[in-house]
Amino acid sequence: MKLSGTITKVSGPLVVANGLADANVSDVVRVGEQRLIGEILNMTGDSASIQVYEETSGLGPGAKVETTGMPLSVELGPGMLENIYDGIQRPLPAIESHMGSFIERGAHEPSLDTAAKWDVTVTVKAGDTLTPGQIYATCPETPAIEHRCMVPPTVSGTVTWVADNGSYTVNEPIVKLTDAKGKEHTLTLCQKWPIRTPRPSAERMTSPRPLITGQRVIDTMFPLAKGGAAAIPGGFGTGKTMTQHQIAKWCDADIIIYVGCGERGNEMTQALQEFSELVDPRTGKSLMDRTVLIANTSNMPVAAREASIYTGITLAEYYRDMGYHAAMMADSTSRWAEALREISGRLEEMPADEGYPAYLPSRLAEFYERAGYVRTLNGAEGSVSVIGAVSPQGNDFSEPVTQNTKRFVRCFWGLDKSLAYARHFPAIHWLTSYSEYLNDLSHWYQDNVSPKFVDYRNRLMALLNQESSLLEIVKLIGSDVLPDDQKLVLEIARVIRLGFLQQNAFHPDDTCVSMEKQFLMMDTILYLYKQARTLVTMGHPMSVLKSENIFDRVIAIKYDVPNNRPEMFAQYHRDIDAFYQHVLEKNA
């Protein structure tokens, strides 16, 4: 039921209107003559506080407000992949074709192309009983992804009519069914879903496999499970966006949803340009064939920034329900939290830490808990992995957004300013980061990589921790006074940092590394440590060991051994044995 009221107050993106006593919280409204999109935040009597998703200059008391009677929803159907949306799912390329590079207020285009024809294959017949989530038609959305049209979660019944296989638009009827109450439902290629309501699933499951990203510090040291949630906090210039770009480019998710939430527009431009030029290693096609970009950058309305996160996670859940594994990048949740803070201040709510609203933790929890590995309503397995960047001011990890995010994620990739300034990327610091998924995934590593994988990873971490302790001593009295076994730890830790943790995104063999090569690199480093430690125990000084150049040769493995040539690692073991024999003979 549509209702109308009149504006009594305008405060930035917040509009207060009277005469809406029968409206509901979360209803979408149209504001003013330009019919700007807004959402009701709260109700007091017949007065509604409305969050407007566009610039409100020119609005004043007395202007008309009309409700749609529906919550803020997105259209889900073929045509979302390869598209670019704003925070409330308006298609930016379609708007640009009508308005040019600058979006005018009140712009509205269908989220899905209503004129495009899709080659539809109907998978049900008259007389079939359909349940929520069941697939009734498929069509090739892109060369990489088959779109599977599902019965909405609120609908079930018996099929009374089906369309023939052929070409259809998203709004043409494909299947008609009658529910138990005798009501007829017409199913098309698309459906609507409110963005703040999680889509249902049959069962939430423990994730059996990691999200492989090709980044060694992530896959080996701090892995993320498929269906898991991770946070990337870091100050300005530490590489949050570039790390998310790398994960989006190379991770083994089927679908990528990249949300630019309040960050700079040039970063979204860079993502769009790179993704369209990059060849997907799995399909040989463009990476955009399985990517949706949601751009609500810093120069776009702050209110829509808050909605963009929910738009992205809803799209990811929809592809999850088809049986795909989706990965969502949110850059950054700090800008989203700042939008919450601004709207909360205009609503005159009581502020909590640093001015953020008291419900910030619950909103973060609602978002991150929509990640998960599930059995869908149609019996398939799918997942949504969420990777949220956090931008703490002054690199202060004690601020509210970072601290509350840590409560709801099990994987924390802490970026370090000193590493970034030393050109060590990804600048994920091994002492401040952690992953609680490691134990859950240990069986996968044993079965699919090597039974020694987790042990090797733990040994590398132990060496890095020893290095941290020794560096405190070195700062006080210098490295010359250390015994040779401790000098060896420092040297091997350098090999681990430069040869394993540091990665070059511009090198064809180092930008994305297979799990097999990651394991063999660890194996080679630890074999070098074993042989060198034996020599040190026998009394050979570190000065002699370092003069052989073997440590720098092992560091260069990441460049010298191609990803498709694992057999070359045997030569490095022979070189280490030759180094061992040479030192023995030289000092005999």
Side-chain angles (χ1 to χ4, degrees), residues 57-373:
S57 58
L59 278 180
K64 184 179 178 181
V65 173
E66 185 180 282
T67 71
T68 62
M70 295 178 59
L72 186 62
S73 303
V74 289
E75 289 187 45
L76 304 168
M80 294 188 298
L81 294 177
E82 301 183 290
N83 216 331
I84 311 167
Y85 294 109
D86 73 351
I88 50 178
Q89 211 204 9
R90 294 185 300 182
L92 298 181
I95 293 174
E96 183 190 24
S97 66
H98 289 90
M99 296 184 174
S101 299
F102 296 95
I103 303 173
E104 297 175 13
R105 291 193 301 165
H108 181 70
E109 290 285 338
S111 299
L112 303 175
D113 188 343
T114 55
K117 293 272 190 176
W118 302 94
D119 294 328
V120 177
T121 302
V122 182
T123 59
V124 298
K125 60 184 184 300
D128 287 352
T129 299
L130 298 186
T131 55
Q134 192 167 341
I135 296 169
Y136 59 85
T138 63
C139 63
E141 184 171 359
T142 69
I145 298 295
E146 175 189 70
H147 195 96
R148 300 159 187 166
C149 301
M150 300 169 290
V151 179
T154 56
V155 176
S156 62
T158 303
V159 176
T160 57
W161 175 87
V162 297
D164 296 328
N165 293 342
S167 297
Y168 298 92
T169 65
V170 291
N171 291 323
E172 290 183 276
I174 303 297
V175 171
K176 293 182 180 179
L177 56 83
T178 303
D179 63 20
K181 297 181 179 179
K183 182 179 178 181
E184 186 177 72
H185 300 268
T186 299
L187 305 181
T188 64
L189 296 181
C190 65
Q191 57 179 274
K192 283 196 169 186
W193 190 262
I195 63 173
R196 300 183 194 280
T197 303
R199 287 179 63 87
S201 59
E203 177 190 2
R204 289 181 70 91
M205 305 165 63
T206 300
S207 177
R209 66 191 77 167
L211 182 75
I212 303 299
T213 66
Q215 313 306 301
R216 292 184 293 266
V217 68
I218 294 175
D219 293 343
T220 296
M221 310 305 283
F222 309 108
L224 172 64
K226 273 188 176 170
I232 310 180
F236 175 78
T238 53
K240 298 181 295 298
T241 299
M242 296 312 298
T243 302
Q244 286 191 316
H245 282 196
Q246 277 292 97
I247 296 171
K249 289 175 191 175
W250 302 112
C251 76
D252 64 346
D254 300 312
I255 305 292
I256 303 296
I257 312 291
Y258 194 96
V259 183
C261 174
E263 290 298 314
R264 292 169 291 281
N266 60 341
E267 293 178 353
M268 287 302 298
T269 304
Q270 182 182 10
L272 174 61
Q273 290 174 339
E274 288 187 358
F275 287 13
S276 59
E277 295 171 358
L278 197 69
V279 175
D280 187 347
R282 300 194 309 165
T283 65
K285 308 288 185 180
S286 169
L287 186 63
M288 283 300 293
D289 285 349
R290 57 186 183 93
T291 301
V292 183
L293 294 179
I294 298 176
N296 208 101
T297 49
S298 54
N299 60 331
M300 298 175 79
V302 68
R305 186 185 301 175
E306 189 264 343
S308 64
I309 292 287
Y310 297 105
T311 299
I313 198 77
T314 304
L315 267 58
E317 287 176 336
Y318 179 65
Y319 283 104
R320 174 205 71 187
D321 291 347
M322 295 183 199
Y324 291 118
H325 298 284
M328 175 186 165
M329 320 293 160
D331 187 19
S332 83
T333 54
S334 291
R335 306 288 172 256
W336 170 76
E338 287 169 6
L340 279 181
R341 178 167 63 183
E342 180 170 333
I343 298 297
S344 173
R346 294 184 186 278
L347 287 169
E348 300 177 2
E349 296 171 337
M350 185 69 72
D353 289 348
E354 295 190 19
Y356 289 105
Y359 48 77
L360 173 65
S362 61
R363 291 288 178 87
L364 283 167
E366 288 171 8
F367 168 60
Y368 281 109
E369 286 171 9
R370 289 175 71 169
Y373 194 100

Side-chain angles (χ1 to χ4, degrees), residues 1-48:
M1 181 175 64
K2 293 186 178 180
L3 303 168
S4 61
T6 54
I7 293 176
T8 60
K9 173 186 173 184
V10 179
S11 175
L14 180 71
V15 169
V16 179
N18 289 338
L20 299 173
D22 293 327
N24 299 310
V25 171
S26 296
D27 277 1
V28 172
V29 298
R30 295 287 183 172
V31 179
E33 292 181 1
Q34 292 178 302
R35 296 180 60 76
L36 309 181
I37 300 175
E39 181 183 14
I40 296 178
L41 296 179
N42 61 38
M43 299 287 301
T44 305
D46 72 340
S47 178

Side-chain angles (χ1 to χ4, degrees), residues 452-469:
K452 300 177 181 178
F453 186 92
V454 175
D455 176 55
Y456 281 10
R457 178 264 177 201
N458 291 337
R459 288 165 66 182
L460 291 194
M461 276 301 301
L463 287 166
L464 291 169
N465 283 318
Q466 286 183 53
E467 180 203 34
S468 176
S469 300

